[in-house]
Amino acid sequence: MSTPELEVQTHPIATRITHWLMALSIVILIGSGWRIYNASPIFGFTFPEAITLGGDVEQALALHNDPGVASAIGWHFAAMWLLAFSYLGFMLWNIFSGHFWRDFLPVGPVSFWRDFVAAATFKLQHRLGEYNVVQRVAYWGALGAVAMMLLSGIAIWKPVQTYPLETLFGGFQGARIVHFIFMTAIALFIVIHVALVILVPKTFVAMTLGRATAKSHKGDV
Amino acid sequence: MDLERRRLFGGGLSLGALTMLTGCDISDHDSVQRALALVSRFNDRVQAAIFGPNKLAPTFSEAEAVKDFRYNAWYGPEKSPVLTSADYRLMLAGQIKDKTPWTVEKLYSLPQVTQITRHVCVEGWNMIGKWTGTPLGVFLNQIGADTTAKYVGFECADGYYEGIDMATAMHPQTLMAFKLSDNILPTRHGYPFKLRIPTKLGFKNPKFVTTIYVTNQQPKGFWTDRGYNWFSGI
């Protein structure tokens, strides 16, 4: 039996602040975005009003015939700045601090497949402070999805001033669909991310207080 | 004593303070709304800064133009105000030299251009239409409007009101649209004319315009009074 090692996870203050600001802004953006989507649905469904953000719909309708979209847009166009700046801060910080290169790379198809199969068969160990390849790919995917949200969002917000940006997405309505698809990807990421945090609560401690430790499981397998 | 109490309730206590005292969460709600309104005004300034006075909105082919253009208002088309060329006068106000009212006939004799542009609604839908009319900038110059003023405002026969920044008013694609799909603007679309501004969201395109005024005071807007962003450029 090997001697138990201590696993340590630390997150610098810049990472923690930008992480939580991104989390807050994304929750606001998704909630208000669903309300805005409901005003002119792209697909054949709408989001239940109770899980959308933008105040009381009945009240807004009674007051001035607006289905609560004005307030939702207010939220959306406030939180977009919060996301844009916290995302930029997060990216710059992690590029220059070396966190990306140290912990999120390398990723390769072979190692991804190995860790993916291990995860799918529940054989993948979570080691605090270490990122397996499935995790690394998920983080790159989420960060890429946010970039796509910002880009398609700009195309929807300013289709004339940024023209022909929208043509990248197949036009204005195409940009709305792309915005929707990457919203879905981010929502799925959040569900899995939060589920795994519940399984390994120490990661929440590390992301909030800056440091967490755990006894190594390496010897247990 | 009575006088004291009246002073307290009449002047000292605002409605907001009262709701706070009663612990009602309306005040929280209001402060959130105020914060969002502040950001919205910041967004106005950002949008004005990135607005390109000569950046043209994309134009489309004749085939892409929708003939049966979507009707949109907070009331049904049957309630559209019916204006007649006999009675209608366009009134001019504010920083304008020649405030002589304009008849429909005189308006329709102005030099006109045709453009096929896209209407983008704040809700997310869009529709391409073929519009014919006089660039608002040409009209403003003709009536001796002070184009160094900040805003142009509009009042409408259906109770609607709107206003835009001068840069947008002078944009070459901002039209006083007299025709839709080569036909005189139908009543439901705003006869005798509507503002057609392809660099703004749809609700910044007022119909049934009865007064145009030039001012340095930011004009109010029907929907911006209901919480939508004022500049609403696209």
Side-chain angles (χ1 to χ4, degrees):
Chain A
M1 198 178 143
S2 61
T3 46
E5 296 167 43
L6 203 61
E7 294 174 357
V8 181
Q9 185 164 41
T10 56
H11 288 303
I13 187 80
T15 302
R16 284 180 277 148
I17 289 175
T18 50
H19 168 271
W20 285 114
L21 287 180
M22 283 196 293
L24 173 69
S25 58
I26 287 172
V27 168
I28 294 173
L29 284 161
I30 290 181
S32 56
W34 286 352
R35 174 75 64 88
I36 298 165
Y37 166 95
N38 282 357
S40 182
I42 309 171
F43 307 108
F45 69 93
T46 55
F47 293 95
E49 196 189 298
I51 58 165
T52 65
L53 176 68
D56 189 75
V57 171
E58 292 307 316
Q59 198 186 334
L61 276 172
L63 271 175
H64 37 61
N65 234 339
D66 169 59
V69 176
S71 186
I73 289 175
W75 279 107
H76 211 73
F77 286 176
M80 71 176 184
W81 293 114
L82 192 60
L83 177 61
F85 286 117
S86 54
Y87 179 74
L88 193 70
F90 184 88
M91 295 304 280
L92 289 177
W93 165 256
N94 285 313
I95 287 169
F96 290 109
S97 73
H99 175 47
F100 276 166
W101 323 121
R102 220 171 28 242
D103 299 320
F104 283 6
L105 286 175
V107 290
V110 175
S111 54
F112 175 79
W113 183 246
R114 182 197 64 213
D115 282 0
F116 181 78
V117 170
T121 52
F122 300 100
K123 282 179 188 150
L124 192 64
Q125 288 294 323
H126 185 274
R127 288 191 278 277
L128 208 59
E130 256 178 60
Y131 300 87
N132 64 62
V133 182
V134 175
Q135 258 180 308
R136 291 176 188 182
V137 168
Y139 287 139
W140 285 121
L143 291 170
V146 172
M148 290 302 288
M149 288 307 274
L150 292 171
L151 206 60
S152 57
I154 288 168
I156 296 165
W157 186 42
K158 293 282 155 203
V160 171
Q161 301 307 324
T162 65
Y163 196 83
L165 177 63
E166 65 171 43
T167 54
L168 272 182
F169 308 110
F172 180 73
Q173 293 302 326
R176 287 185 69 203
I177 292 169
V178 168
H179 207 60
F180 190 94
I181 290 170
F182 283 99
M183 175 280 293
T184 311
I186 290 170
L188 277 174
F189 170 81
I190 291 172
V191 169
I192 297 167
H193 187 58
V194 171
L196 292 175
V197 169
I198 290 168
L199 283 176
V200 190
K202 288 255 166 92
T203 55
F204 176 81
V205 175
M207 188 48 90
T208 307
L209 300 177
R211 184 186 161 86
T213 54
K215 274 187 194 149
S216 177
H217 299 288
K218 273 178 190 169
D220 298 351
V221 183
Chain B
M1 187 65 191
D2 250 354
L3 209 71
E4 283 290 297
R5 254 169 49 194
R6 266 163 72 170
R7 200 174 294 149
L8 181 66
F9 286 103
L13 273 179
S14 67
L15 190 66
L18 271 174
T19 51
M20 254 157 66
L21 281 177
T22 56
C24 175
D25 65 4
I26 285 173
S27 61
D28 289 341
H29 188 69
D30 283 351
S31 61
V32 166
Q33 291 303 318
R34 270 200 299 277
L36 291 179
L38 263 176
V39 179
S40 191
R41 283 200 287 279
F42 167 75
N43 284 340
D44 285 342
R45 289 199 294 276
V46 172
Q47 293 179 86
I50 63 176
F51 177 74
N54 297 308
K55 166 91 181 174
L56 294 182
T59 53
F60 300 86
S61 73
E62 189 95 32
E64 292 169 283
V66 175
K67 296 277 183 295
D68 184 23
F69 204 82
R70 174 169 171 170
Y71 170 83
N72 206 55
W74 73 98
Y75 52 84
E78 72 287 349
K79 290 191 178 140
S80 300
V82 179
L83 305 179
T84 64
S85 62
D87 298 331
Y88 175 87
R89 296 291 181 274
L90 172 66
M91 310 305 282
L92 303 174
Q95 292 161 239
I96 293 171
K97 274 201 195 101
D98 182 0
K99 291 178 184 157
T100 317
W102 284 60
T103 62
V104 174
E105 195 188 353
K106 206 172 144 201
L107 281 171
Y108 283 12
S109 68
L110 284 163
Q112 296 176 29
V113 294
T114 294
Q115 66 192 21
I116 299 169
T117 54
R118 184 174 60 185
H119 173 115
V120 176
C121 180
V122 67
E123 292 173 348
W125 57 270
N126 67 274
M127 191 170 277
I128 295 165
K130 184 184 183 186
W131 308 90
T132 304
T134 303
L136 180 63
V138 171
F139 181 72
L140 289 176
N141 281 329
Q142 186 159 339
I143 59 178
D146 176 8
T147 54
T148 65
K150 286 184 182 165
Y151 306 104
V152 179
F154 311 99
E155 279 165 19
C156 310
D158 58 353
Y160 203 68
Y161 48 99
E162 253 308 337
I164 55 174
D165 51 298
M166 187 58 79
T168 301
M170 300 305 285
H171 187 273
Q173 287 172 312
T174 298
L175 294 190
M176 301 162 79
F178 306 134
K179 285 181 180 170
L180 171 59
S181 312
D182 300 316
N183 298 310
I184 296 292
L185 206 59
T187 288
R188 68 181 186 284
H189 285 302
Y191 177 88
F193 80 92
K194 72 170 282 172
L195 258 296
R196 178 59 205 127
I197 313 176
T199 57
K200 293 279 193 201
L201 287 173
F203 75 83
K204 301 286 284 185
N205 292 239
K207 308 184 277 190
F208 315 102
V209 178
T210 51
T211 302
I212 295 180
Y213 61 98
V214 174
T215 176
N216 278 318
Q217 300 255 306
Q218 191 182 77
K220 285 174 173 284
F222 183 88
W223 289 113
T224 50
D225 278 352
R226 284 150 180 80
Y228 287 89
N229 170 262
W230 186 84
F231 193 91
S232 285
I234 58 173

